Amino acid sequence: MLRACHLPPIATPALCALRLSLIPSLHLSSPSNLHRASTLAPFQTSVIQTFTPTSPYRSPWSLKRVFPMHLCPKGAASFSAGSNSEGSREILVQHLLVKEDDQKLLLDLQQRVSGGEDLSDLAVEYSICPSKEEGGMLGWVRKGQMVPEFEEAAFDAPLNKVVRCKTKFGWHLLQVLSEREGSLLQDVQTEEFHAKMQDPNFLEEAQLIDVREPDEVARASLPGFQVFPLQQFGIWGPEITTKLDPQKDTYVMCHHGMRSLQVAKWLQTQGFKRIFNVSGGIHAYAVKADQSIPTY
């Protein structure tokens, strides 16, 4: 059953532990920690918790994360910088997970689902996956994010039909609630972006986001950018689709291109169709495209 709670504007905390299980921990205690990192991590702003994911997502690392709200760059697992995912199919999936040797419980739950009980209600009560806190909701996923057995079962499953599959985590009952075409996420090189910035029509047609902190923006900035500091995500995150148009081309920039890539991937999960990460950030822009911009 597709409920309103299955379509939150921001992803769930439990899902973050699952979906980002590929990604090492990265603290947001200072902006410098972000641009020095070579890998991505979830946004962090409040109380630290640690999960050891037992989910269909790859590489079950222990994940530290800090969330005052529901936030997760859902597509993080499937992209590297510069990738292009336009046209990829995405599915909205919920599931429950039981231990491999708990087949009696599995069969009982299957019978209860066949009898009309809701999979999300059963997940809350019986699932051993952290997503149980959200009714087993895994959110929108695309190929490449999940372990092969779960991925094959999910992408072959008819809409709304509960199917069973086995992975290294145990037995899953999963249900695909909806599907959609994926969005575009790719890097834009600083020289190309500089050329676009010279076109007055570009500034009218595109929307530009700077996710650096205010003190960084005071040191160096580009015209036309709206500032959405990553550390203030709790303020602007829940309202992003009212502040920006998901249908317009969206360009995201930070200092070195890492924080902006995090936000770009999160914007995908919020329905933004065409997202471009400014490769190398404003530092690369200043060095390669416009030496009048200060570096720091």
Side-chain angles (χ1 to χ4, degrees):
M1 179 184 300
L2 180 59
R3 301 177 174 181
C5 64
H6 291 162
L7 297 168
I10 312 292
T12 66
L15 172 57
C16 295
L18 302 177
R19 188 178 281 282
L20 295 177
S21 60
L22 295 108
I23 301 172
S25 176
L26 174 64
H27 290 282
L28 295 189
S29 55
S30 69
S32 60
N33 286 341
L34 285 145
H35 65 63
R36 284 200 300 263
S38 61
T39 53
L40 300 179
F43 308 130
Q44 305 177 1
T45 50
S46 155
V47 182
I48 295 179
Q49 295 178 329
T50 302
F51 290 104
T52 301
T54 51
S55 78
Y57 292 87
R58 292 176 177 167
S59 184
W61 298 343
S62 178
L63 174 67
K64 288 183 178 178
R65 60 169 190 76
V66 187
F67 285 97
M69 70 176 68
H70 298 161
L71 167 63
C72 171
K74 291 186 180 179
S78 61
F79 290 105
S80 59
S83 65
N84 184 325
S85 63
E86 189 169 29
S88 60
R89 178 182 169 224
E90 296 178 338
I91 56 176
L92 182 65
V93 186
Q94 65 179 4
H95 85 132
L96 66 76
L97 173 67
V98 299
K99 295 179 180 178
E100 182 179 354
D101 59 358
D102 216 344
Q103 294 191 22
K104 182 178 179 181
L105 174 60
L106 177 70
L107 294 174
D108 177 61
L109 294 175
Q110 280 188 289
Q111 291 177 357
R112 292 173 65 173
V113 168
S114 298
E117 293 192 49
D118 191 86
L119 183 64
S120 61
D121 292 335
L122 296 174
V124 170
E125 186 171 357
Y126 295 102
S127 182
I128 62 172
C129 177
S131 65
K132 66 180 295 179
E133 301 299 329
E134 304 298 326
M137 179 54 56
L138 298 179
W140 290 99
V141 300
R142 61 175 60 86
K143 288 187 175 181
Q145 291 180 271
M146 299 170 288
V147 293
E149 301 88 347
F150 191 95
E151 179 174 286
E152 181 178 359
F155 278 87
D156 288 344
L159 281 179
N160 298 313
K161 182 178 180 180
V162 175
V163 300
R164 179 178 68 181
C165 74
K166 182 181 178 183
T167 70
K168 61 184 178 181
F169 302 110
W171 285 100
H172 305 259
L173 294 180
L174 68 90
Q175 185 178 30
V176 177
L177 301 170
S178 185
E179 62 182 2
R180 68 185 183 188
E181 288 302 310
S183 59
L184 168 75
L185 168 59
Q186 68 180 36
D187 277 354
V188 58
Q189 299 302 312
T190 51
E191 296 90 340
E192 178 186 353
F193 183 64
H194 178 67
K196 291 179 180 292
M197 290 285 287
Q198 310 315 304
D199 181 358
N201 292 328
F202 172 72
L203 296 177
E204 293 292 329
E205 297 170 356
Q207 50 197 3
L208 313 178
I209 305 174
D210 189 335
V211 300
R212 295 175 300 147
E213 302 308 308
D215 62 316
E216 295 180 89
V217 177
R219 297 182 184 182
S221 62
L222 297 180
F225 275 84
Q226 300 181 61
V227 179
F228 290 89
L230 188 56
Q231 293 288 347
Q232 298 178 27
F233 178 84
I235 298 173
W236 56 261
E239 301 177 355
I240 194 65
T241 55
T242 62
K243 294 178 178 293
L244 300 173
D245 183 355
Q247 302 303 316
K248 294 182 69 173
D249 286 5
T250 303
Y251 290 76
V252 192
M253 182 183 71
C254 67
H255 192 192
H256 287 283
M258 293 304 297
R259 283 172 285 174
S260 55
L261 184 56
Q262 288 183 329
V263 174
K265 290 178 176 183
W266 174 75
L267 287 173
Q268 280 194 305
T269 74
Q270 306 307 302
F272 284 71
K273 297 302 182 184
R274 290 170 54 85
I275 311 151
F276 300 87
N277 179 53
V278 179
S279 179
I282 196 170
H283 179 81
Y285 188 92
V287 171
K288 299 179 181 180
D290 186 351
Q291 285 73 37
S292 69
I293 303 297
T295 58
Y296 65 94

